[in-house]
Amino acid sequence: MKFIFDRIKNGKETIKNPLESNSNSYGKIIVDTSTCNLCGICEKECISGALKININKVEIDHSKCLFCKDCINSCPKSSLKMTNDYKLSYFEELGNEVRELVYKKFNRSLSLRAVDVGSCNGCFLELSALNNTYYDLSRYGVHMVASPRHADGLIISGALSINMKEAVLKAYEATAEPKIIIVLGACGVDGGIYKKGYAVNENISDIIPVDMFIPGCPPSPSAILEGILKLMKSNK
Amino acid sequence: MNINDFKDELMTVGCSESKILNDNEIYSNCTQFNVQAISLLLKKKYKLKFIGEFCYEVDSSKFMINILFTNSKNGYFITLRYISEDIIVSLQDVFEQANLFEREISDLFGLKINGGKETRHIVKHEIWEDGVYPLRKDFEIDRKINEKFEINNYKFKQIIGDEGFQIPVGPIHAGIIEPGHFRFSVIGEEIENLEIRLGYKHRGIEKIAENMDANKLNLLFERIACESSVAYSVLYAQLVEKLLKETVNPDIKSFRVILLELERIHNFLADIAGICTDVGFSYPSKKLNYMSEIIKQLCENLTGSRYMRNTVIPLGINIDVDKEKLLYVKDTLENLLVRIKYIIGITLESFTFLDRVENTGIVKMKKAKKLMLTGAVARASGLNYDVRKSFPYETYSKLKIENNTEEIGGVFERYKVKIAELYDAFTFIYKSIDSISNDIKRDRPVIRLKNGTEGIAIVETVKGELIVYGKVGENNNFDRLYFKTPSFTNWQGLSEAVLDEIVPDFPLCNKSFNMSYSENDR
């Protein structure tokens, strides 16, 4: 009975469009080239190697970025700015083929299996946040399933630790075709902050073919959702 | 006994040298021949709490083994240390949990455990090449562990017989969970033994930390376990401030408490929701998860990161906060609390819910003490210990007046303790917001650490007591950082809790503990 009162009083909580830009979230960093004098302070501040000064331009590789904002805070000219554009997911070479395949075969429904290979658990917290009533992932036809044999693909997070290598390869073998692989987080791209660790030998893309990267540290639920939807929607 | 008296007392029991550092740390030297006897004496006569054991390299082929104790009544640490060349004197007969620490040292430094029964690998899995000891100084920073081709199997404890059978689970689990292996030995329906094997996520954080500049180290600390990002960064701030003997202004201290408690709220809401999910009570679970999401968005609004990362830094603060924003936080929380209380009230009135959680997964007080459980889990078993009260940091000496404890130590008690701490967190935030008078301005001083200094810092995360030992080396880097994470010992409590329960109750027990794999493996 109390449920019903609560329900009537508070109405529905699921938002209409979780992809709407959130004014507080972090996103792409832009450089104001008119004020930047290439002093190199930001390059020294960046521990993940995402920001580099190349000839006479500041180049930012958002896939490696930890979004710590140290570069922005350290810039003496305030040339760097953070936008709210969280849409950072991108396809690997094979991605386009997969996209068409997904659309044809699954008619917009997708089952994924989550595997963590050595992260801080941030990506998984955000992935499980996607299942709450605010975002409600399942209304898009995307489900997290309990076994790789039920899945169309894997969603992997973290830097590949040597102890997890065998397990992730086995999960990959057990996954049903077309074996879509989505990688979450900066440490999934190139080891991120852990890349100097002795137990992180390879990247995930070295041992299994990756279709899509969703960078961020951790990527916000909207960013993960945007990536998955991009994979599912044919742009034809 | 106060710290000065105890320092002198240590000399009478056989220690050769004792010194006090940073006001509340005693370092005493002994030898590998009398360490066992002294440890036993510290446990039996002085009632000190054993909290860990770690090692660092003094110079080539000489290692310093440190055994860490606390006196939580008077609030100081005792480190008993001896130099060894190739062995660790096993304390497994004295402390039940010592084997965990010894096995970790043995894997990473290549020392032999002398006299202990349990010597299996923890961190070093079968795939590692032989003869590599990554935390030694002669193991270069860029070097990687190679894979081995011939693999021997790990020896699990198992029950053999007509009735008994084993259920292996993991390392990859059903659901969105981190990796770890569980091996249940079951007779009929009941679990006779549960063996937990972890270390799958080992990334070598302690080695990475040794080669990072102290000004950037807070980023790595935050990435040990995401759910306790703030606690880890406060831990780092505590350590550096202790080493430099400096402190921050009271407004920043109060602000840190706000962040710590916001983190506690979103974690405990998710924990409570998780318990409801595993019972199959979906309405409260969905609503509480939703509220946890709202808190995370509030954190994002306040600091620009959903997990409040890179906000707390040593000696300062990394963002600007105005008073208006804090009042907005207070306002949102006040509105939310009414609803949280209503929903939690629903669960406490439901008979089917109570039937499932009461008298399930019990860890008795005596066993909890032996297993060195910490945090909400320990308080549910009746251990009256909270870092915020025994070793108050930031402004907790004013805020934390009493610990929340329960008696039986089952799932329901852990549920109740978490609810009580959740409500406490709201009051702490209100008080802290009221005590901040001015706007907080970003302030990031450069850290310069002094070579050779050492210290211990301690905080209470959502999982329990978290300790770091830091020893400064050259070039503003740390020579050794050791983390004693709450999950490292608490995982063993889960093995105890599920005994004589049925397998389907395992997820419920697990969720009531909700330990972190990532901070355990490091």
Side-chain angles (χ1 to χ4, degrees):
Chain A
M1 199 61 186
K2 279 194 161 180
F3 306 156
I4 301 166
F5 286 137
D6 186 62
R7 205 50 216 274
I8 293 167
K9 206 173 156 195
N10 295 293
K12 72 171 177 226
E13 287 154 350
T14 309
I15 55 163
K16 222 168 192 176
N17 181 15
L19 294 181
E20 246 171 34
S21 89
N22 173 355
S23 60
N24 302 315
S25 82
Y26 57 69
K28 268 182 199 150
I29 298 168
I30 47 169
V31 190
D32 184 354
T33 43
S34 61
T35 53
C36 175
N37 60 356
L38 302 169
C39 62
I41 292 176
C42 49
E43 192 179 8
K44 271 181 219 146
E45 283 285 324
C46 187
I47 55 159
S48 63
L51 192 148
K52 282 209 170 74
I53 294 181
N54 209 347
I55 313 172
N56 52 9
K57 228 172 94 190
V58 177
E59 283 182 354
I60 300 162
D61 183 353
H62 287 99
S63 63
K64 290 180 186 167
C65 185
L66 298 177
F67 300 94
C68 64
K69 298 180 191 167
D70 278 355
C71 53
I72 296 168
N73 290 332
S74 71
C75 184
K77 297 263 174 193
S78 317
S79 310
L80 292 161
K81 269 204 182 72
M82 186 166 268
T83 62
N84 300 320
D85 182 11
Y86 62 84
K87 294 176 180 164
L88 297 164
S89 60
Y90 61 95
F91 288 104
E92 274 294 278
E93 286 160 31
L94 288 169
N96 271 323
E97 258 172 65
V98 169
R99 183 159 46 166
E100 276 168 27
L101 216 89
V102 170
Y103 185 71
K104 248 188 225 163
K105 271 203 171 162
F106 306 111
N107 206 8
R108 291 204 189 92
S109 157
L110 195 62
S111 299
L112 293 169
R113 176 79 182 86
V115 181
D116 189 334
V117 293
S119 68
C120 64
N121 199 22
C123 300
F124 267 26
L125 288 175
E126 298 295 56
L127 194 59
S128 39
L130 257 185
N131 285 314
N132 67 32
T133 49
Y134 186 86
Y135 298 101
D136 192 15
L137 181 67
S138 49
R139 66 175 139 160
Y140 295 100
V142 184
H143 300 279
M144 296 293 157
V145 292
S147 161
R149 293 194 195 281
H150 305 157
D152 309 317
L154 303 176
I155 186 157
I156 302 177
S157 80
L160 181 60
S161 90
I162 183 171
N163 293 347
M164 265 310 279
K165 192 180 168 187
E166 192 194 348
V168 75
L169 282 174
K170 278 185 179 167
Y172 179 71
E173 274 165 34
T175 311
E177 291 291 341
K179 299 188 198 270
I180 300 159
I181 307 291
I182 304 172
V183 169
L184 297 181
C187 47
V189 177
D190 75 329
I193 202 164
Y194 314 121
K195 79 181 134 210
K196 281 192 181 153
Y198 51 80
V200 181
N201 290 8
E202 293 157 295
N203 298 330
I204 298 160
S205 52
D206 295 340
I207 60 161
I208 45 181
V210 175
D211 298 309
M212 172 175 261
F213 286 111
I214 304 176
C217 195
S220 66
S222 312
I224 300 174
L225 182 63
E226 191 262 342
I228 295 174
L229 291 184
K230 203 159 142 191
L231 191 81
M232 289 166 66
K233 266 182 200 150
S234 159
N235 53 0
K236 277 176 192 166
Chain B
M1 200 180 289
N2 82 26
I3 183 161
N4 286 312
D5 296 343
F6 196 73
K7 185 192 140 212
D8 300 335
E9 187 86 12
L10 276 170
M11 303 296 276
T12 64
V13 298
C15 292
S16 59
E17 200 186 321
S18 281
K19 58 179 177 184
I20 295 177
L21 288 179
N22 307 324
D23 301 334
N24 68 349
E25 297 160 24
I26 306 179
Y27 293 88
S28 294
N29 292 10
C30 64
T31 65
Q32 31 176 296
F33 307 105
N34 64 10
V35 60
Q36 238 169 349
I38 296 175
S39 303
L40 192 67
L41 204 68
L42 292 184
K43 178 190 174 189
K44 286 267 153 72
K45 189 175 165 198
Y46 300 103
K47 308 278 179 219
L48 293 182
K49 212 170 95 189
F50 168 68
I51 49 170
E53 193 171 345
F54 62 95
C55 171
Y56 64 81
E57 195 170 331
V58 185
D59 50 52
S60 54
S61 75
K62 269 207 180 113
F63 300 94
M64 185 76 94
I65 315 277
N66 299 264
I67 301 145
L68 208 53
F69 295 89
T70 52
N71 181 336
S72 49
K73 218 177 190 178
N74 300 43
Y76 56 83
F77 302 91
I78 298 99
T79 312
L80 196 61
R81 42 174 51 162
Y82 62 93
I83 286 190
S84 155
E85 287 191 354
D86 50 1
I87 57 153
I88 315 165
V89 180
S90 176
L91 299 176
Q92 291 178 22
D93 295 338
V94 188
F95 310 109
E96 195 172 314
Q97 291 280 59
N99 74 75
L100 291 171
F101 302 96
E102 287 163 9
R103 286 153 73 192
E104 196 183 48
I105 296 171
S106 164
D107 280 359
L108 297 172
F109 283 94
L111 306 181
K112 206 172 155 281
I113 301 172
N114 200 1
K117 277 187 207 134
E118 180 71 278
T119 57
R120 294 177 299 173
H121 298 302
I122 278 192
V123 182
K124 188 175 175 179
H125 281 202
E126 298 75 43
I127 196 165
W128 287 35
E129 62 182 310
D130 293 325
V132 282
Y133 307 111
L135 284 189
R136 286 189 180 191
K137 291 291 172 198
D138 58 4
F139 189 98
E140 300 88 18
I141 170 72
D142 292 329
R143 200 174 143 194
K144 305 283 183 185
I145 307 278
N146 291 321
E147 283 168 35
K148 204 161 76 172
F149 293 102
E150 271 176 52
I151 287 172
N152 303 322
N153 284 336
Y154 184 81
K155 279 194 189 119
F156 285 100
K157 280 178 195 147
Q158 45 188 325
I159 290 170
I160 306 166
D162 294 342
E163 307 275 302
F165 61 99
Q166 329 294 329
I167 309 175
V169 183
I172 301 175
H173 301 282
I176 308 172
I177 327 171
E178 304 169 76
H181 183 90
F182 300 98
R183 186 154 299 208
F184 300 93
S185 294
V186 182
I187 294 178
E189 289 248 23
E190 282 163 9
I191 300 169
E192 291 295 320
N193 185 37
L194 165 63
E195 213 178 336
I196 302 172
R197 186 173 195 213
L198 300 169
Y200 288 91
K201 292 179 82 171
H202 184 72
R203 293 145 280 168
I205 284 181
E206 284 172 12
K207 186 83 179 180
I208 303 171
E210 287 170 17
N211 294 281
M212 265 175 94
D213 189 84
N215 287 299
K216 287 285 169 191
L217 211 51
N218 68 318
L219 293 175
L220 185 69
F221 267 67
E222 284 164 4
R223 281 162 182 81
I224 292 171
C226 184
E227 56 267 47
S228 352
S229 290
V230 181
Y232 274 90
S233 52
V234 170
L235 179 77
Y236 183 55
Q238 291 290 327
L239 180 66
V240 171
E241 281 158 17
K242 204 170 186 185
L243 291 175
L244 295 176
K245 301 194 169 36
E246 284 183 47
T247 161
V248 289
N249 74 46
D251 280 1
I252 294 179
K253 280 187 178 173
S254 294
F255 186 64
R256 282 182 187 171
V257 171
I258 297 174
L259 298 184
L260 281 165
E261 296 300 326
L262 275 174
E263 183 174 79
R264 211 176 298 279
I265 294 175
H266 81 68
N267 270 291
F268 280 162
L269 278 176
D271 280 8
I272 295 167
I275 292 174
C276 296
T277 312
D278 283 338
V279 174
F281 200 4
S282 72
Y283 192 80
S285 127
K286 285 285 175 202
K287 294 296 151 193
L288 292 171
N289 265 327
Y290 168 78
M291 285 161 199
S292 171
E293 171 69 28
I294 298 297
I295 300 282
K296 280 184 202 167
Q297 287 177 10
L298 187 70
C299 298
E300 193 175 32
N301 190 337
L302 187 65
T303 67
S305 157
R306 282 164 63 90
Y307 295 95
M308 298 170 275
R309 279 175 165 176
N310 205 11
T311 304
V312 177
I313 49 167
L315 310 178
I317 194 85
N318 210 8
I319 54 164
D320 290 322
V321 188
D322 48 24
K323 187 79 191 170
E324 233 168 81
K325 214 165 205 180
L326 289 176
L327 291 176
Y328 168 73
V329 170
K330 191 177 175 184
D331 208 36
T332 318
L333 289 178
E334 271 169 355
N335 287 335
L336 210 60
L337 185 61
V338 180
R339 223 174 141 209
I340 289 174
K341 281 191 170 156
Y342 185 81
I343 304 277
I344 288 175
I346 294 179
T347 64
L348 294 174
E349 282 168 15
S350 160
F351 290 109
T352 37
F353 176 79
L354 293 180
D355 193 36
R356 201 53 211 284
V357 292
E358 274 175 343
N359 292 318
T360 311
I362 287 171
V363 184
K364 292 211 174 84
M365 186 173 161
K366 237 182 179 171
K367 195 70 191 172
K369 208 171 190 176
K370 264 191 183 163
L371 292 172
M372 293 163 60
L373 301 191
T374 65
V377 177
R379 288 191 284 281
S381 293
L383 296 179
N384 192 351
Y385 172 67
D386 191 316
V387 178
R388 288 173 289 174
K389 185 141 191 297
S390 301
F391 297 89
Y393 50 99
E394 310 304 352
T395 58
Y396 280 119
S397 52
K398 275 182 257 162
L399 297 172
K400 186 87 186 162
I401 293 153
E402 241 179 306
N403 295 343
N404 304 300
T405 52
E406 292 287 336
E407 266 168 13
I408 306 170
V411 173
F412 187 49
E413 282 68 36
R414 291 190 275 278
Y415 185 76
K416 280 195 285 189
V417 168
K418 281 178 181 177
I419 291 171
E421 304 220 329
L422 177 76
Y423 292 158
D424 274 2
F426 280 93
T427 22
F428 293 166
I429 292 178
Y430 297 158
K431 280 185 188 164
S432 298
I433 289 177
D434 291 341
S435 73
I436 295 178
S437 46
N438 304 314
D439 289 358
I440 294 170
K441 288 270 170 287
R442 196 181 100 88
D443 173 27
R444 182 163 199 161
V446 177
I447 305 164
R448 281 266 142 240
L449 295 172
K450 227 189 191 164
N451 193 349
T453 46
E454 56 187 336
I456 298 164
I458 183 166
V459 296
E460 176 90 15
T461 74
V462 284
K463 317 283 182 198
E465 161 202 74
L466 168 69
I467 296 165
V468 67
Y469 164 81
K471 183 166 161 282
V472 183
E474 287 163 356
N475 304 330
N476 213 16
N477 285 1
F478 277 91
D479 188 49
R480 175 88 174 102
L481 275 171
Y482 169 76
F483 298 95
K484 193 273 155 189
T485 61
S487 301
F488 195 64
T489 42
N490 276 15
W491 270 115
Q492 306 306 314
L494 181 60
S495 299
E496 170 69 22
V498 297
L499 292 187
D500 296 333
E501 299 290 346
I502 53 173
V503 180
D505 269 342
F506 170 73
L508 185 61
C509 298
N510 187 13
K511 201 70 210 181
S512 70
F513 272 75
N514 199 22
M515 284 302 132
S516 162
Y517 298 75
S518 146
E519 66 177 15
N520 175 78
D521 300 353
R522 298 199 296 290

